[in-house]
Amino acid sequence: MKPLTIAVDALGGDFAPSAVIDGVALALKRDAQLRVALCGPVQVVEPFAASAAAQGRVDAYPTTEEIPMDELDPARAVRSKKDASLVVAARLVKEGVAAGFISAGSTAACLAAGTLVVGRIRSVKRPALAVILPGKRPVVMVDTGANADCKPEFLLQFAEMGRAYSAAVVGVENPSIALLNIGSEQGKGSELAKEAQVLMHQHTANFQGNVEGRDILAGVADVVVTDGFTGNVVLKTLEGSMTFLLGKLKTLFMATTISKLAALALKGRFADLKQELNPDQYGAAPLLGVKGLCLVAHGSSSPEAIANGILVGAKAVRNQVTEKITNALCEQAGSE
């Protein structure tokens, strides 16, 4: 396995730079062929690059600017702040120094850096965010927030991009595809959903038809496709529901002495459940459809989430997810 470089925005996230630095150190321990291009203030990146934790595999890229989480015009900031840590990380991908970049900073700024700096794959109409959801089996959902307004042909491409990511990262052979809708029957839903369903029946291999929201975690399909507005609402609803239910369970089991004893007996099972539902296990959502890997981590990412995001990104690069998306979309265009 050849060495692989991932660029990291040291200033991205609520707990940066400490959580990012600790996450990089964890990732380096777990992947002996990983290198990191660390972008951020000189007083942060150079001492870490020279430390024992960096293992001689971190290159420091000092920067002088930052794009804050509350930036009002992220696209303009990406264009104007050429020396921002996020922009420099993206530029390293464009220049071929790094195979991908990761940031836990402003999602909108990350999307702008991915599209404006790294650039779209030529045949891609709109890049899309993909998230791996836990459930009966891991499910890739595309799009989860990059494109609030979509055309049917966008969703058709999302299906192929999600298929490539599911195969490369989750390891699913010939992933099944489904369209998120308000009913499973053919002809259901908005005009967007109905037109997309027709296109996907015609051009998408292993297309299972419509699925409802309740089917996502049941593992009815390996890849669930929707527009970014709906996907983001679904994602945030699932996150809130899981947090609420786990909190209710904790309250229930801490209510009485008997329930506390029951909780103690089930402690191992609850730990397994918490890990199964833990979003940190994948760490970041890729922006599929750009020329290199662009990984968007949650703003509140822990070191574990940062590490896992870097490692998932490295896996996607090694399994040639970008090349597979390019080839799949070329084949799809030829069949239309």
Side-chain angles (χ1 to χ4, degrees), residues 218-244:
V220 173
D222 298 302
V223 178
V224 174
V225 177
T226 187
D227 62 274
F229 180 89
T230 304
N232 193 264
V233 171
V234 170
L235 180 64
K236 298 296 174 57
T237 301
L238 288 173
E239 289 175 349
S241 298
M242 290 178 186
T243 300
F244 175 78

Side-chain angles (χ1 to χ4, degrees), residues 174-226:
N174 189 26
S176 56
I177 314 292
L179 179 66
L180 186 61
N181 209 329
I182 58 173
S184 58
E185 303 88 350
Q186 190 169 351
K188 275 275 191 176
S190 64
E191 289 304 312
L192 171 64
K194 287 188 280 190
E195 291 180 35
Q197 184 183 160
V198 171
L199 284 177
M200 292 170 76
H201 270 300
Q202 293 173 344
H203 302 291
T204 302
N206 204 8
F207 179 55
Q208 306 296 303
N210 293 330
V211 294
E212 299 181 56
R214 63 187 175 187
D215 300 319
I216 297 173
L217 300 187
V220 173
D222 298 302
V223 178
V224 174
V225 177
T226 187

Side-chain angles (χ1 to χ4, degrees), residues 15-95:
F15 307 115
S18 59
V20 177
I21 296 298
D22 291 345
V24 169
L26 284 174
L28 291 169
K29 285 182 181 179
R30 296 172 186 175
D31 187 337
Q33 296 303 313
L34 177 69
R35 292 193 63 87
V36 168
L38 189 63
C39 307
V42 63
Q43 67 270 24
V44 172
V45 298
E46 289 193 346
F48 178 72
S51 70
Q55 303 177 37
R57 291 188 280 136
V58 174
D59 296 312
Y61 286 84
T63 60
T64 58
E65 294 180 291
E66 177 183 2
I67 298 178
M69 295 289 285
D70 59 355
E71 173 63 52
L72 297 178
D73 192 342
R76 182 177 180 181
V78 166
R79 289 190 182 97
S80 62
K81 294 184 176 182
K82 303 295 185 183
D83 203 42
S85 53
L86 169 60
V87 177
V88 172
R91 191 162 61 243
L92 291 175
V93 179
K94 181 180 181 180
E95 294 171 351

